[in-house]
Each structure stands twice: as structure tokens, then as C-alpha cells.
Amino acid sequence: MSDFDTDKPNGDAVEEKPRYYVELVDQILTELEDFFATHLEDMFKKADDYLFNSAQNAANIAEQNKMFEAMNALRAEKQPLQKGYIDELSFYLQPVSELDKLPEKKQAKKPASLGLVENTEMDERVTLNGISSKAMDANSESIGFLIKRLKELSLYNDHIFHGEAMEPKRLCEAMHEAVAKTELTTDQRLTVYQFFNQVLIKDLGKLYDLLNDLLIENGILPEIEFNMDLPHYDHESYDEGAGDDAAGEEQQAPPPVPPGSRRAFGSGISGAGRGYAPPASGGAPMGGAPMGGAPMGGAPMGGAPMGGAPMGGAPMGGASSGGGGGAAPRRAFGSGMHSFSQAPQPYNPNAGGGDVAGSEVATGPAGQSYSAGVPVGQVRESIQNFVGGSHADTAFQGNDSYYSHQQVMTALTGLQEAPEDFSQTPLVFDANQIKKAVLSSIGESEGGAVTKAVHQVSEKTIDFIKLIFDAIIDEESITDEIKTLLLSLQIPVIKAAMLDSEFFIDDQHPARQLLDKIAEAGVGVCEHTDPVYVEIEKVVRKLLSDYDEDIIAFTVALDELKELTEEIYRKARETEAKSQKAVKMSHAKSIVLQEIRKITIGKELPLGIRTLVLKVWPSMMFNHYMAHGKANDEWVELLMILQKIIESVQPLNTVQELEELGVSYNDILEAAKSKLNKCRKNREIIEDVLKQLSETYEDLMSTPDLPDENEPQPDADIVEKIAEVVAEPVDQAEVVPEQPGEVAEAAAESVTEEEPAGADHEDISLGSAEAMQAPEPEERDPEVVAKEKIAMLPDGVSPGSWFIVYNGEEKPVRRLKLAVILVQDATMVFVDHLGNVVIEKDAEEFAGEIDKGLSGMIMQHSVFDHALHSALEAIDR
């Protein structure tokens, strides 16, 4: 297999270009094919189960026939739809070498006369728009990392595809195009989209984590900046007709691909995917229990690590100096997906069927919305069943048995007050105490007597809010300090739930967003005196004072919290950036020192070259490392030239060595001059060190009385005989080890030329020549050791993640953010929420702490969604 690309399109020779990570690119395509094959198969199985059970539980014959028709239609279109989806997805998953930019698919604008068709098309696109938007919001961090890592990989092998091709909107667009080519009705199409979302899209987090882990294992580790605020996905609209110019345009076709030039997406998928047997044909539904309305993949909010070992085994094709495994043409994605399972035979309702006793039917129409990862219809039904109705019930407007809704709200407002000291807020939600206080407040307002009861709906609403706050109290990702602030809002949240019937299904409700923002802003807060805590407390205190029954109070509080904390975290990001830069600079100095020590151990440094070797050249290497790292030819050349300089100025022993120096020293001078001319140091310093190097060579060339050749070494046999004669042991204390030549102290520090603002260049000095002479013990390649250590880290450990970090015995753990992983020595740098470096950890050490439970990741997700999901599970048990 060749290490170079020898494609010659159009008969023209192209420059041979090495490609690395060939096996890694192929493995990425294989993992994608596996994922899509298994999930597409499972998607149709789930849809078939759903339609079968819906037919069995239909209220009438007409509805039953409709379900059976839909089931038969999906079975008939299964194979072409699966193949069509892979074909459409291949449009985006073409190699970077063939696409300068990821193509956009735009639909031609339909004639105005097809208004009905346009409305149907719009419904589909709105559905997919919502699906892709939620998926991107849930996985924005993971897909962002994946895009950067695939871009980094493309620098070494342009057979990889653009990372943006894996965005949810691309996957949804591919499904829309595939479905558009079928004969399915609108309702049947929406059913496909429903299960496409539940089975495939909801599982994208696992795919992104798998691919990220695979890239990390193989050393694809670009610098990834992390912002305290999770990135927001500003999706492109699926609306047709991007503009008047789009009218009548033909769909953009993918560029032509030379035959055999690459491995195609999907070329590795055999059958329906590994581990999935073809579905049974005939009357029974395609295996397994029906959907039952449970959400696929849990809550949509991101943050949880993958779990499980990453795929791929040993690292594939690292970027070693030889090319890294060859660069055979990349197979196309999908080229291994030789065939999908044959579509099963249409179902005959009169031929019998599987036993569906006790099975549940997925609730809600196709394309429905979700709250906390649960269909809104299911959320609404579960809560109404629990509380026994809704606040809109006419019986609840006040009668001889119950206090009115307004009386309850007024009483709750009377209980709503800010404590004098928030730190004393108990971490408990006492629902019974709240109910008693409401009755007591109403009684006091009516002459001191309690003559009625609070309606069951209000009482049970308080009980349900208790379940939500109980889940918040149990949430380990929130500090006790922030929990006290959240619990102080229990009365306003109860009122919000009673005032707004959509509270539990509206992800954008400002009260829910405020709770989430408080938890997010306070992720690193561990003290009541923390400046972030102080600012949050101001907002909470003001809300408790202002909020009556107008929801706008929550919106105002949310805006104030964002404004108050943004300035703090802006400064925190600046501090973190400075901290990261300081750490990287220290690391770069260490790397430069290590590299130069390797080539100066045991060597003599004449006085005339010490400024060059100990100051100027290290500074030049440092600045290059900070800007470009060491995985490049320039870095190698800097080391090679320095090594040639060091070797060429060693004392001459023979006339032959003198002749060799006479031939080579001018070339060495020119090479050094070429590199130094790019250096930003003062030109006088550059000219001075070059002059001193030249004079050093002149002194060496004038070395007198050199022998023609080195003294002959004794014959090996003679040495052995001498060794046999010397029988007595030698006293080690009398042996004087050979010392390198004496070297005076390094030249005074050089003057750095003033550079423009914002430049990342720094002048460094590596100390005395004696420091350079210190030998180091033989050891393994530190970069190899570092990669092995980083590979020990669990899934999900990446810069930007928050952790509970072990700080030593008898010391409290710290809540810190991982700012950067230094891949050269596997050092992990942690900062606090204000951006200050707190602690550094060795990756192997940190992995061990996580394994022992001493340290751990803090899951960042929507606090309210997580708590609501827990509450729903509690009442549904």
C-alpha cells in the first residue's frame, strides 16, 4: 500500500501528497455505517410495533384499517427508504479533497398553484426543523468538538469528510429527501419522522461521543476553547425558497467522483447492520415490545458521558514519520452496506398476529413536542391524573366546600418573603407545612376561622412541586449554597404552576429557565461570600419582593441574572485565558529545554556560541512552538540545524575532522542565518551571534598540530586478556568520572525587540551551559507515555467539563473546570469559576482518582428538566 496519493484526475500528474491516519478514516466510516444500519433497522421495527398495536387497539374498523395500511406501506418502502437515506447522506459525507466547502441542498421553489402541496411540505419541514434544533441544543458541545477534531484530521488526511456533515440538520435533510421519493402519505411520513427522531436522532449523543473518543485515542487533539455559556445552535431554516433567486433552480448535484478514488460512505454496511437479524415477515409484528410512549434515550439535555469502552481498540495509524499506513483510495461511505433487509410481506389482519396483551401504545401525534424528554401529551396526562384535574376546573373557582383559586394565590403571596439570611434556608421542601400555612393565612384573612378546604388540585400541585424540589435537593451537581437559593423560590414556582396550565410542558417558561440559569451560573460556587453567589442572591431577593401573579417578574429576574453574572464571567474567561497562556508558556519552555538537552548532553559549548545556543535559539524555538507546536517540518529543521552547530564546534582531533569542517561550516552558517533572519530579535543581536559563530569556526580551522587520524584502539582480544589479568576489584571511590569540558556562565540576557500588541512571542533563556550538560536517565519516549496516560481518562473528560476534584487527604474537594490538557506530558490544568488556576493533575493520577470515587464529573444539564423527569417517573411508578 502506498504512503502517497497518486491519483491523476484528467490525466494530469499531481504532486504526491502523504496521507496519515488511513486506518482511522476507514474506522470512522465503518462506525458510521454500523450506527446508521442498526438504527435505521430499529427505526422501522419500532414503527411497525407501534402501528400494529395501534391497529389492535383501534376504536373502530376504519381506524384499524388505516393503521394496517400505514404498516404495510412502511414495510413496502422500508428497503428503498433505507437505501435512499444512505445515498442522500453520502451527498454530505464526501472527502474534503473533493469538496472545498460542504454543499448545501436547496429545494426548488414550487409553483404557487401547488398551495396544498406546499403546506404539506411545510409541515414536514417544520417537524424536522424542531427535531434538528432540539438535537443540536442537546449535543452542541459534542458536535462542536467533533467538527474541530475532524478538521484537524483533514490536515493529515483529506479523505475524511467535513465535520459539519454530522450536524443533526444534515441528517434530517437527508431523511426528508429520502422520504420525498417514496409514495407514503403525509401521516405515514410523519410517523417515519417520529421514529427517526426517537430511535436515531435521540441517540446521536452516543455517536458523537464514540467518534470524539476515537479521535482522542488516535492523538487528534486540537486546542478547543470552552465558553462558560453552552453554545446555542442557530439552525438554518428548512423553509423553502431561500429567496426569489431560488425559484426554478434545480437541486444542486454532488460533484463528480472519479471511479475508485475513495471509499464511499455506506460501502461497509452489510445487510441491516451487525447484531441485527432481518425482521420476520408475515403476520406478527417485527419483534420486541411496542414503544409505549416512553422517550427514546432519556432526557434530551446533554452533559452525561457516554459510558462504556470506546470503540476501535488500539490506536490506528499515528502520524509517524514514515507516512502512517499508506493512502489507498478511500472507499465511499455506504460501499459496505451491500443490501438492507428485504422488506417483509404486507400484514394481513385476518391472518392472526402476535400477542399484544398488556402492551402500551405511543401517545401523541407524530412530530409532537417534548418536555423533559417526555411527549407533552404524556406529561399533561400524567400530571392531571396525579393532581386530579386542572386549575381550569369550574369546581375550583370557589364554592361552599373549597376556597377559591384567588384566595389560595393570595395566601401563597403572603408566605412569599425573602429570608434575612439565605444561608439558613433548610434544604428541605415541607409540602405539609406549606399547606397548613396557606389554610392559616386564609383563615386569618376571614376572621380567624378556617371554614373550608383547599381544593385537591392545589394540594396535589404542591405535592408534585415537592417531587421536583426533592430531585433538585438530591442533585449532586448543585452545591448546597446554590440549593438554598433555589429552595427559596419554592413558593413562586408553586404559584407559577398554578397560574399557567402550560408550565410543566413549556421548556421556555421563564421560571424554569431562571432555575436553570441559577444552577448554571453557580456551578463552581461553594461559599455564601462568593461574588457570584452575592449577585444571584440579589436577583432572588428582588424576585421574592416583586413577584405577585405577573409572569413578567421571572423574565425580568432572568434578564437581570444574565446581566449581573455576564460581567463576572467575562472577567473569568479573560483570567482563564491568561492562566491557560501562562501554563502553555511554562510547558513550552519545558519542552524546548528537554529537546535542547538531548542534543547538548556531553558536548562542549565554546564561549563564542553560548549566547546563540542558550538564549537566541531557544527563544526562537519557544516562539515557534507556541505558534505552531512541534508536529511540523520547521520544528524538525530548527532542531537539526542546532544539532549540526553543536556537533561542528566540538574540539577537533584529526586532520580529517578539520577537512570535514572546512567543507561543511559555510553551509551550517547559511542554514543558521536563514532561520535567524526570521527571528524577531534585535538585528544587532542576530548579527552578533552569527559573527561569533563564524569566529568560532575560524578558531577551529586554525587548530595546530592535529594527527592524521585518531589513535588506534587496542585489539579486542588484547582488551579481554588485560581484563583477565586484572583480578583485583577497583575501589569505586577512587574512580573519577569523566567530566564535560568546563564552560563559563552563559552570556547576559539578550534584549528583546519590541513587538506589536497581542504578539505571542517571548524571549526565554535556558540558563547556564552547566545546566545544559546535566545528563538524564534513559527513559521511554515521554510523548508515548503521555498518550497512554490520556487514554486512561474516562469518556467525557474534556476541556470545559466541570469536576469534583480530590485535593488531598484532610482537604475538601474542589469544584473546578478542566481548562486544558497538555498532551506532551499528560498534565490536566483545572481552574475555578473565576478562571484562576487551582490545581494541576497528572492524567493517570486523575483517572485513578475517578476510578476510586475520589474525583468525579459534574453533570451539567437543565436542572428543572432533570427534576421534572424524576418527578414524572415517581408518579408513574
Side-chain angles (χ1 to χ4, degrees):
M1 183 180 292
S2 171
D3 290 339
F4 297 93
D5 179 26
T6 56
D7 293 343
K8 298 179 176 62
N10 302 323
D12 297 328
V14 296
E15 181 182 356
E16 291 187 341
K17 182 169 110 178
R19 287 197 176 96
Y20 304 88
Y21 299 101
V22 175
E23 293 179 349
L24 173 60
V25 172
D26 192 81
Q27 189 175 4
I28 289 173
L29 293 174
T30 299
E31 296 295 351
L32 289 178
E33 289 167 343
D34 244 7
F35 177 87
F36 288 109
T38 54
H39 283 75
L40 287 174
E41 183 65 22
D42 198 31
M43 180 184 84
F44 279 89
K45 183 175 76 70
K46 300 287 189 185
D48 192 273
D49 290 343
Y50 166 73
L51 293 171
F52 177 85
N53 291 307
S54 296
Q56 292 292 89
N57 292 278
N60 51 63
I61 296 298
E63 184 67 18
Q64 184 180 64
N65 289 338
K66 180 181 178 182
M67 292 298 159
F68 283 141
E69 287 174 6
M71 186 172 66
N72 288 335
L74 261 61
R75 290 184 173 188
E77 294 289 351
K78 173 187 171 183
Q79 188 175 9
L81 207 160
Q82 287 175 324
K83 184 178 184 303
Y85 181 70
I86 296 302
D87 291 342
E88 293 295 331
L89 199 54
S90 299
F91 177 86
Y92 298 113
L93 295 176
Q94 298 179 65
V96 171
S97 59
E98 297 173 20
L99 291 174
D100 292 333
K101 182 180 179 183
L102 191 66
E104 294 284 349
K105 268 196 172 180
K106 297 295 184 182
Q107 295 295 312
K109 196 172 183 179
K110 294 181 173 64
S113 59
L114 298 179
L116 182 60
V117 177
E118 287 184 338
N119 289 337
T120 301
E121 177 85 353
M122 184 65 69
D123 289 342
E124 292 183 46
R125 289 187 173 275
V126 168
T127 297
L128 288 170
N129 186 37
I131 291 173
S132 65
S133 179
K134 280 184 175 289
M136 192 64 187
D137 285 340
N139 300 287
S140 57
E141 185 176 358
S142 296
I143 185 63
F145 290 168
L146 180 61
I147 290 172
K148 288 189 177 182
R149 288 176 179 136
L150 289 178
K151 184 176 181 180
E152 177 79 2
L153 177 57
S154 70
L155 300 178
Y156 304 100
N157 191 326
D158 56 8
H159 276 165
I160 195 61
F161 49 84
H162 292 275
E164 291 83 353
M166 295 307 300
E167 291 177 336
K169 66 176 180 179
R170 313 282 183 185
L171 307 184
C172 289
E173 182 65 20
M175 179 55 70
H176 178 264
E177 294 297 322
V179 169
K181 296 176 182 178
T182 67
E183 298 298 323
L184 297 176
T185 65
T186 299
D187 288 342
Q188 293 164 2
R189 293 183 179 194
L190 292 176
T191 299
V192 171
Y193 297 145
Q194 175 190 5
F195 288 94
F196 173 68
N197 179 39
Q198 291 182 357
V199 176
L200 193 150
I201 296 296
K202 289 289 182 65
D203 221 19
L204 283 179
K206 295 181 180 179
L207 176 64
Y208 295 149
D209 287 344
L210 186 152
L211 296 180
N212 275 316
D213 290 342
L214 191 58
L215 290 163
I216 291 171
E217 286 177 4
N218 285 275
I220 307 300
L221 299 168
E223 181 178 348
I224 297 178
E225 298 180 359
F226 183 83
N227 191 299
M228 275 297 297
D229 295 321
L230 292 178
H232 177 70
Y233 175 57
D234 189 13
H235 61 80
E236 295 181 15
S237 175
Y238 276 111
D239 292 349
E240 292 181 4
D244 294 336
D245 293 336
E249 288 182 357
E250 293 295 327
Q251 175 176 307
Q252 179 183 351
V257 179
S261 64
R262 61 185 174 85
R263 167 218 197 277
F265 174 90
S267 63
I269 298 186
S270 301
R274 288 174 281 181
Y276 276 76
S281 61
M286 294 189 287
M291 288 293 293
M296 301 299 295
M301 303 305 296
M306 270 281 295
M311 303 289 291
M316 311 294 294
S320 59
S321 59
R330 196 202 95 174
R331 68 177 177 87
F333 178 89
S335 60
M337 305 169 73
H338 302 309
S339 62
F340 284 94
S341 300
Q342 296 296 321
Q345 297 298 317
Y347 175 67
N348 181 359
N350 297 320
D355 182 11
V356 294
S359 51
E360 299 176 6
V361 182
T363 58
Q368 63 189 317
S369 300
Y370 288 78
S371 181
V374 182
V376 294
Q378 185 176 332
V379 175
R380 184 181 286 110
E381 181 180 358
S382 296
I383 294 176
Q384 288 188 0
N385 288 340
F386 178 79
V387 303
S390 70
H391 295 288
D393 294 341
T394 55
F396 183 44
Q397 300 307 313
N399 53 36
D400 294 339
S401 302
Y402 301 110
Y403 290 117
S404 71
H405 179 266
Q406 188 56 50
Q407 288 175 301
V408 173
M409 293 300 298
T410 301
L412 286 169
T413 299
L415 300 175
Q416 175 185 299
E417 59 182 3
E420 183 175 342
D421 184 359
F422 278 91
S423 66
Q424 301 303 312
T425 303
L427 297 182
V428 63
F429 186 104
D430 193 335
N432 290 330
Q433 183 62 35
I434 294 174
K435 295 174 189 176
K436 292 176 182 177
V438 168
L439 279 175
S440 176
S441 177
I442 296 176
E444 289 178 4
S445 66
E446 296 197 345
V450 177
T451 59
K452 301 179 183 179
V454 173
H455 196 280
Q456 174 189 346
V457 171
S458 288
E459 286 200 30
K460 297 296 285 183
T461 297
I462 294 173
D463 290 337
F464 188 73
I465 297 295
K466 169 183 168 54
L467 295 176
I468 290 177
F469 274 92
D470 284 347
I472 292 175
I473 294 169
D474 293 338
E475 178 60 73
E476 295 181 355
S477 68
I478 309 173
T479 64
D480 287 351
E481 287 74 14
I482 296 300
K483 286 177 183 177
T484 61
L485 296 177
L486 294 172
L487 281 165
S488 67
L489 294 175
Q490 52 190 277
I491 298 298
V493 172
I494 291 173
K495 290 166 59 180
M498 290 183 178
L499 287 169
D500 188 350
S501 61
E502 301 295 295
F503 177 76
F504 294 111
I505 62 174
D506 182 7
D507 289 338
Q508 304 303 312
H509 195 287
R512 295 172 57 163
Q513 288 189 323
L514 180 63
L515 296 181
D516 287 345
K517 188 63 179 179
I518 291 174
E520 177 192 335
V523 63
V525 172
C526 296
E527 297 178 355
H528 292 286
T529 56
D530 188 288
V532 177
Y533 179 92
V534 172
E535 296 301 332
I536 298 175
E537 182 186 302
K538 291 179 183 176
V539 174
V540 172
R541 191 177 293 278
K542 185 172 183 295
L543 175 66
L544 291 171
S545 173
D546 295 349
Y547 176 53
D548 185 8
E549 297 182 14
D550 188 356
I551 193 176
I552 194 65
F554 282 105
T555 302
V556 171
L558 182 61
D559 291 341
E560 289 177 346
L561 179 59
K562 290 179 180 178
E563 183 178 350
L564 287 169
T565 57
E566 178 55 34
E567 179 62 19
I568 292 176
Y569 283 123
R570 183 190 63 78
K571 294 179 179 178
R573 289 191 291 271
E574 292 176 355
T575 302
E576 181 180 344
K578 292 178 181 177
S579 300
Q580 287 190 21
K581 183 176 180 180
V583 169
K584 291 176 183 177
M585 289 173 64
S586 175
H587 176 71
K589 291 178 182 179
S590 175
I591 292 296
V592 172
L593 180 60
Q594 290 174 13
E595 294 289 353
I596 296 182
R597 275 179 174 170
K598 291 177 184 178
I599 59 179
T600 58
I601 289 177
K603 304 293 184 181
E604 292 189 17
L605 299 180
L607 185 62
I609 71 164
R610 292 183 185 179
T611 301
L612 171 66
V613 174
L614 301 180
K615 295 177 180 290
V616 178
W617 207 271
S619 295
M620 186 165 56
M621 291 181 64
F622 170 85
N623 291 329
H624 177 82
Y625 183 88
M626 288 294 293
H628 308 289
K630 56 189 289 188
N632 52 78
D633 294 339
E634 181 72 12
W635 174 265
V636 175
E637 290 178 9
L638 287 171
L639 282 176
M640 289 178 62
I641 294 173
L642 180 61
Q643 184 174 12
K644 288 292 185 182
I645 293 173
I646 299 297
E647 292 174 350
S648 65
V649 297
Q650 298 308 299
L652 298 176
N653 297 312
T654 67
V655 172
Q656 183 180 1
E657 291 179 357
L658 178 62
E659 292 173 349
E660 290 176 354
L661 177 62
V663 172
S664 64
Y665 83 89
N666 279 323
D667 292 337
I668 297 174
L669 266 172
E670 287 301 317
K673 182 178 181 180
S674 173
K675 296 300 180 186
L676 289 170
N677 283 337
K678 300 177 183 178
C679 181
R680 296 192 179 185
K681 280 188 173 295
N682 187 288
R683 300 317 303 170
E684 293 180 0
I685 296 177
I686 301 300
E687 292 173 1
D688 184 56
V689 295
L690 285 172
K691 178 182 177 182
Q692 291 184 33
L693 178 60
S694 178
E695 292 174 350
T696 300
Y697 284 134
E698 291 176 1
D699 291 342
L700 286 169
M701 292 298 294
S702 62
T703 303
D705 303 328
L706 290 173
D708 292 337
E709 56 185 19
N710 289 322
E711 294 295 328
Q713 297 297 320
D715 183 82
D717 292 337
I718 297 177
V719 174
E720 292 177 3
K721 291 177 181 179
I722 295 174
E724 292 173 0
V725 173
V726 183
E728 296 183 4
V730 179
D731 186 356
Q732 295 297 320
E734 297 178 358
V735 178
V736 179
E738 181 181 355
Q739 298 292 333
E742 292 188 2
V743 184
E745 289 297 323
E749 296 211 7
S750 56
V751 180
T752 305
E753 180 183 350
E754 186 174 351
E755 298 176 359
D760 288 331
H761 298 273
E762 180 167 306
D763 184 44
I764 67 170
S765 173
L766 297 183
S768 67
E770 286 83 350
M772 305 298 297
Q773 303 294 327
E776 293 185 348
E778 290 291 330
E779 58 181 17
R780 297 173 60 203
D781 185 340
E783 293 185 22
V784 173
V785 175
K787 286 185 178 181
E788 292 175 354
K789 289 182 176 182
I790 292 174
M792 297 178 185
L793 295 172
D795 298 333
V797 176
S798 60
S801 300
W802 282 84
F803 296 87
I804 293 174
V805 180
Y806 176 68
N807 200 25
E809 293 292 339
E810 308 300 329
K811 294 181 179 179
V813 296
R814 299 294 301 268
R815 298 171 67 87
L816 305 172
K817 185 176 75 170
L818 176 57
V820 64
I821 301 176
L822 302 174
V823 297
Q824 299 294 338
D825 58 6
T827 298
M828 307 174 71
V829 182
F830 293 89
V831 299
D832 61 19
H833 63 297
L834 298 179
N836 302 300
V837 173
V838 175
I839 194 170
E840 296 183 8
K841 291 271 189 179
D842 177 78
E844 181 179 10
E845 175 189 352
F846 189 65
E849 291 174 1
I850 291 179
D851 187 54
K852 296 175 184 177
L854 299 174
S855 296
M857 181 179 289
I858 297 175
M859 297 298 105
Q860 287 186 277
H861 46 234
S862 166
V863 169
F864 191 90
D865 275 10
H866 181 75
L868 175 58
H869 196 86
S870 298
L872 290 170
E873 288 182 341
I875 65 176
D876 287 340
R877 280 199 282 266

